[in-house]
Each structure stands twice: as C-alpha cells, then as structure tokens.
C-alpha cells in the first residue's frame, strides 16, 4: 500500500483514491484488464470455458447434443457467456468506482465507522494528478470493457440469427 503523498491528508491510507487505484490495479482479475489484447482475450476465454462446466449440462438437459447439436451449442455458449458477462460487469463497476473517486474534487471517507463520515477537498496538485491517472490509465481500461460488452452483444445477435435459421 502506498503512503500518503500529503502529510496533512486526513483520509485514512486505505481510503485514499490513489491507494484504492493501486490496490485494484494489482489485484487478481482487475490487473488483467491492462494486459495486451491477446492476453486479455485469453483470460476471458478461460472464464467462458470454465463456465461451460455449468452451462453444458444445463444445455444438454434441454437439447440433446446427438439430436440437436446446433441448438445445444448455441444455448451452451450463451449460458457460458453469463459467467463472462458477470465477470466483466464486476470489472467495470470496480474500475468505475475508482475512476469516480479519483476524478472527484472531494473524497468522502470514514474515520472509524459508518457513522462518522467526513469529506476532504483535494488540493489542486492532487486533483490534477488523479485526473491524469483517470485520463491515461483508467479511461482506456473502461473503453476496453465497453468494447468487450459491445462485442458480446454482437455475438449474442449473431447467435440469435443462427438460432432462427435452424
């Protein structure tokens, strides 16, 4: 965990937006968003593949693979995609939360519990630093996640068209 860059910052170290960002950036799964496209896609493919462990048997209960292979594959793929969508949603919401905390002019924090919330106004140099991090580090990650959601929507659309053709 990083130490506060300001000696007079009243926000506890673990609630400072920069430290929340650093923690998120190094945590499992969240760090995968910053990988190159190929590595990022491989991680999502792993999640999708593991989700087949649940989706496959459920799909085979509705569509027998030996009789209705296309429908089985489409339903299984769509079911397995739920795991990917939920993972992406968790990633998006986590990055969005940290982006909002960094971008904001004020920081809400709790000194010892939920009942004693305080607000700290960031000095200009901290606000500038935090907004640069948002612009150059977090915004590309959020755009990648949005692009991935759009790609999944396109795949679902193609799957729906194929479904209606068979």
């Amino acid at each position: 965990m990083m130490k506060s860059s300001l000696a007079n910052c009243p926000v506890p170290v673990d609630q400072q937006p920069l430290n929340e960002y650093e923690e998120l950036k190094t945590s499992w799964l969240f760090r995968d968003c910053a990988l190159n496209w190929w590595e990022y896609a491989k991680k999502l493919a792993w999640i999708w593949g593991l989700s087949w462990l649940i989706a496959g048997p459920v799909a085979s209960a509705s569509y027998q693979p030996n009789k209705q292979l296309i429908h089985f594959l489409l339903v299984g793929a769509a079911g397995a995609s739920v795991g990917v969508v939920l993972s992406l949603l968790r990633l998006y919401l986590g990055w969005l939360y940290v982006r909002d905390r960094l971008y904001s002019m004020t920081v809400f924090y709790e000194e010892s519990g939920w009942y004693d919330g305080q607000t700290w106004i960031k000095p200009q140099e901290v606000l500038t630093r935090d907004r640069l991090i948002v612009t150059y580090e977090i915004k590309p990650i959020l755009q990648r996640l949005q692009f991935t959601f759009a790609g999944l929507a396109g795949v679902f659309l193609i799957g729906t068209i194929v479904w209606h053709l068979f």
Side-chain angles (χ1 to χ4, degrees), residues 4-104:
S4 174
S5 60
L6 300 172
N8 61 351
C9 178
V11 181
V13 174
D14 61 330
Q15 295 181 46
Q16 292 178 15
L18 181 62
N19 292 336
E20 291 172 329
Y21 162 70
E22 290 294 334
E23 185 177 329
L24 194 68
K25 185 171 78 169
T26 59
S27 68
W28 179 81
L29 193 61
F30 285 93
R31 69 175 174 249
D32 296 343
C33 293
L35 295 172
N36 66 52
W37 270 99
W38 174 247
E39 293 297 320
Y40 170 72
K42 279 188 353 186
K43 299 287 184 175
L44 293 179
W46 269 102
I47 293 170
W48 185 74
L50 290 173
S51 296
W52 262 95
L53 294 174
I54 296 170
V58 171
S60 69
S62 298
Y63 300 97
Q64 294 178 0
N66 56 350
K67 293 182 181 178
Q68 299 169 304
L69 182 62
I70 299 293
H71 288 111
F72 164 75
L73 290 173
L74 288 171
V75 168
S81 296
V82 170
V84 175
V85 169
L86 291 175
S87 298
L88 288 171
L89 186 61
R90 174 65 186 109
L91 291 170
Y92 190 78
L93 293 174
W95 283 110
L96 197 63
Y97 171 78
V98 169
R99 183 209 62 186
D100 291 346
R101 296 266 295 165
L102 283 167
Y103 199 80
S104 176

